[in-house]
């Protein structure tokens, strides 16, 4: 199975700060990488697909990038509504695998 | 409006069975891949199962942790997807989400249904 190593596990940041979360795939998954945001007590929300494409309605301060088998999610100016847990997911081959998650909190 | 609504959760004893159902509307179900994803209390997300559409020959895939115990199925005439869970274990305790999408791109999710396996 493909392993997704996500870091950091938690992150404290200030409003308007730039935030970056990364996922490392255990093998080449191409651009089959998606990012999700989950707020407490809520279902996950689709943020980014194809490693770099924003899902419908997602603010432009979110962006995704890829360098080889490392994938990054960047929030350019953190807003209070961005707080929550972020997960990457590889969809290259089943079984699909999520990263362990990054909890984003306010400093 | 796309909607996914899971039902069928509850409290069951280890070794027993349970069948989850996900009713969908607002999109062409018959040509949509469907998935189940679960989340144990306080833990991360775990993909559970996938069923492809008719063009994918309804092929199913499973996480290793549920293979041989869980079966995903679908009824295109009712726009529903199911998860039959047998030989349930304590570790299967989780909120189960129904979600649509292909190759990990899950754009709509249900609200989730809780399954508790405990004696």
């Amino acid at each position: 199975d493909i392993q997704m190593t996500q870091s950091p596990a938690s992150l404290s940041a200030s409003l308007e700060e730039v935030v970056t979360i990364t996922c490392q795939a255990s093998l080449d998954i191409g651009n089959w990488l998606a990012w999700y945001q989950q707020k407490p007590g809520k279902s996950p929300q689709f943020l980014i697909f194809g490693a770099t494409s924003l899902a419908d309605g997602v603010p432009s301060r979110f962006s995704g990038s890829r360098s080889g088998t490392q994938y990054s999610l960047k929030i350019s100016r953190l807003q209070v509504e961005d707080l929550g847990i972020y997960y990457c997911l590889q969809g290259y081959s089943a079984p699909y695998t999520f990263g362990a998650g990054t909890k984003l909190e306010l400093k | 409006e796309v909607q996914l609504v899971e039902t069928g959760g509850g409290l069951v004893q280890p070794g027993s069975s349970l069948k989850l159902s996900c009713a969908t509307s607002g999109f062409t179900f018959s040509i949509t891949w469907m998935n189940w994803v679960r989340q144990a209390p306080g833990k991360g997300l775990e993909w559970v199962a996938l069923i492809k559409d008719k063009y994918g020959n309804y092929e199913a895939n499973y996480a290793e942790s549920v293979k041989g115990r869980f079966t995903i199925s679908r009824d295109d005439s009712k726009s529903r997807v199911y998860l039959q869970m047998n030989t349930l274990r304590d570790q299967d305790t989780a909120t189960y989400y129904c979600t649509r999408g292909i190759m990990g791109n899950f754009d709509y999710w249900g609200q989730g249904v809780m399954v508790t396996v405990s004696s």
Side-chain angles (χ1 to χ4, degrees):
Chain A
D1 297 358
I2 298 172
Q3 309 303 315
M4 301 301 297
T5 303
Q6 187 172 342
S7 61
S10 63
L11 182 54
S12 293
S14 303
L15 294 178
E16 302 291 325
E17 189 175 331
V18 176
V19 169
T20 302
I21 298 166
T22 64
C23 269
Q24 179 73 46
S26 61
L27 52 83
D28 186 3
I29 60 170
N31 287 330
W32 294 104
L33 191 285
W35 290 95
Y36 295 86
Q37 175 197 61
Q38 188 177 32
K39 297 182 180 180
K42 300 293 186 182
S43 303
Q45 288 202 305
F46 189 43
L47 289 180
I48 286 175
F49 65 97
T52 61
S53 299
L54 252 56
D56 289 345
V58 175
S60 58
R61 61 180 179 274
F62 288 88
S63 63
S65 63
R66 171 194 173 191
S67 176
T69 57
Q70 181 164 292
Y71 301 81
S72 298
L73 171 69
K74 178 181 168 182
I75 308 173
S76 60
R77 286 165 42 214
L78 185 68
Q79 304 296 304
V80 66
E81 58 266 31
D82 300 335
L83 304 180
I85 302 178
Y86 290 81
Y87 298 92
C88 63
L89 170 66
Q90 71 80 15
Y92 176 74
S93 70
Y96 302 146
T97 40
F98 285 93
T102 295
K103 187 172 185 178
L104 180 54
E105 299 174 309
L106 211 51
K107 188 182 288 183
Chain B
E1 180 194 5
V2 173
Q3 288 194 323
L4 299 91
V5 179
E6 305 95 336
T7 55
L11 171 63
V12 295
Q13 293 193 330
S16 61
S17 299
L18 200 61
K19 187 172 184 176
L20 305 182
S21 176
C22 173
T24 75
S25 60
F27 62 99
T28 308
F29 180 83
S30 62
I31 57 170
T32 303
W33 294 20
M34 297 298 298
N35 300 262
W36 289 94
V37 172
R38 70 182 180 182
Q39 186 169 39
K43 302 297 183 183
L45 300 171
E46 179 187 17
W47 174 84
V48 173
L50 150 74
I51 187 164
K52 298 181 181 179
D53 62 9
K54 56 186 175 182
Y55 299 109
N57 295 316
Y58 301 115
E59 177 184 340
N61 293 95
Y62 299 93
E64 203 60 43
S65 58
V66 307
K67 200 175 288 185
R69 300 188 298 122
F70 289 13
T71 302
I72 188 171
S73 61
R74 61 191 294 158
D75 185 336
D76 289 352
S77 68
K78 295 182 179 178
S79 297
R80 284 179 179 257
V81 62
Y82 305 96
L83 187 67
Q84 175 68 47
M85 305 185 292
N86 298 331
T87 321
L88 282 160
R89 305 168 178 166
D90 291 352
Q91 311 94 293
D92 296 317
T93 293
T95 296
Y96 285 75
Y97 295 100
C98 166
T99 179
R100 75 166 199 178
I102 187 168
M103 306 293 280
N105 296 330
F106 304 154
D107 59 351
Y108 285 91
W109 297 61
Q111 83 286 354
V113 63
M114 185 69 200
V115 172
T116 302
V117 184
S118 175
S119 53

